[in-house]
Amino acid sequence: MSKKDFVGLSCITVGTGQGGTISMLARVSVVDTQGIALYDAYVQPTSKVESYRFATTGLDASYFVNAVPFEEAQLTVARWLAGKIVVGHQLWLDLQVLGLPHPAVDTRDVSLYLPFRVSLKRPNEILGLPTLVWHLMRRKIQAGFLDSSENARAAMDLYQSYKREWEDSVQEDLWPCALPPVAFARHYT
């Protein structure tokens, strides 16, 4: 087992650019292994929001009135992640909107963990977090709007449920995960 501490990470995004298709950080949550929030903040947009993606996020402009500046959130999250193993779902997307790299060997991405995919008979698919949590833990999440804190806790709980097997594979140099999309390689050191 790793001697490093573990943290869970999840982000919620809004859309910027033409048609709101470019993701921009709106909320970030970091939790400990017990799911307790270490950091949870709404983040001021750094450019014009074209879509709050309300149908899934439940967000509107009112959430950002007292939001923290992006640079502050980025620095705070970087400090929480430094030297730790980061657990999450599709971590490459979170690292992208945060503008942060992280060592690939220090990530535990439940969307890439091959035993989960194989057990659900979908080895080549990136499965959604609600699907994984429901099928592997019989727990429902995201019943309403997306909640980065709930997602970080759910990913951490899912990882913790399979931690021994996962870490045994890592210790035996049998990396148990698929690779993230190549376009996001710069977010892994």
Side-chain angles (χ1 to χ4, degrees):
M1 294 285 181
S2 175
K3 295 189 186 330
K4 292 184 178 184
D5 289 332
F6 289 74
V7 294
L9 173 68
S10 183
C11 296
I12 302 294
T13 62
V14 293
T16 187
Q18 187 172 4
T21 58
I22 300 169
S23 292
M24 179 173 52
L25 183 63
R27 182 178 175 196
V28 57
S29 301
V30 179
V31 299
D32 67 11
T33 56
Q34 303 303 307
I36 297 169
L38 301 171
Y39 184 71
D40 189 20
Y42 289 96
V43 181
Q44 290 174 0
T46 54
S47 59
K48 184 177 184 230
V49 176
E50 295 295 334
S51 172
Y52 286 98
R53 301 172 177 171
F54 182 81
T56 55
T57 67
L59 300 177
D60 59 33
S62 68
Y63 282 85
F64 303 98
V65 172
N66 295 313
V68 300
F70 173 80
E71 294 77 12
E72 178 183 326
Q74 182 186 48
L75 181 61
T76 303
V77 171
R79 287 180 180 148
W80 277 113
L81 303 186
K84 296 182 179 78
I85 294 176
V86 180
V87 177
H89 181 268
Q90 294 185 320
L91 283 170
W92 63 89
L93 298 174
D94 296 333
L95 295 171
Q96 178 191 35
V97 296
L98 284 162
L100 295 173
H102 198 73
V105 297
D106 288 344
T107 61
R108 302 295 184 268
D109 193 322
V110 298
S111 73
L112 299 176
Y113 188 55
L114 292 171
F116 292 166
R117 292 176 173 192
V118 169
S119 73
L120 297 177
K121 297 179 177 34
R122 293 158 80 182
N124 299 316
E125 290 182 52
I126 295 174
L127 301 171
L129 185 59
T131 299
L132 291 169
V133 172
W134 173 250
H135 286 286
L136 299 169
M137 299 179 73
R138 292 293 183 230
R139 182 167 115 197
K140 288 186 178 185
I141 62 166
Q142 297 180 8
F145 296 120
L146 292 176
D147 180 332
S148 55
S149 186
E150 177 186 41
N151 290 350
R153 283 192 305 272
M156 181 60 80
D157 290 347
L158 184 54
Y159 165 76
Q160 293 282 71
S161 297
Y162 294 85
K163 181 177 182 176
R164 178 172 303 279
E165 298 92 333
W166 198 321
E167 294 305 317
D168 285 349
S169 293
V170 171
Q171 290 300 314
E172 295 169 12
D173 287 329
L174 301 170
W175 191 249
C177 295
L179 295 175
V182 135
F184 296 90
R186 71 179 178 278
H187 299 292
Y188 295 94
T189 55

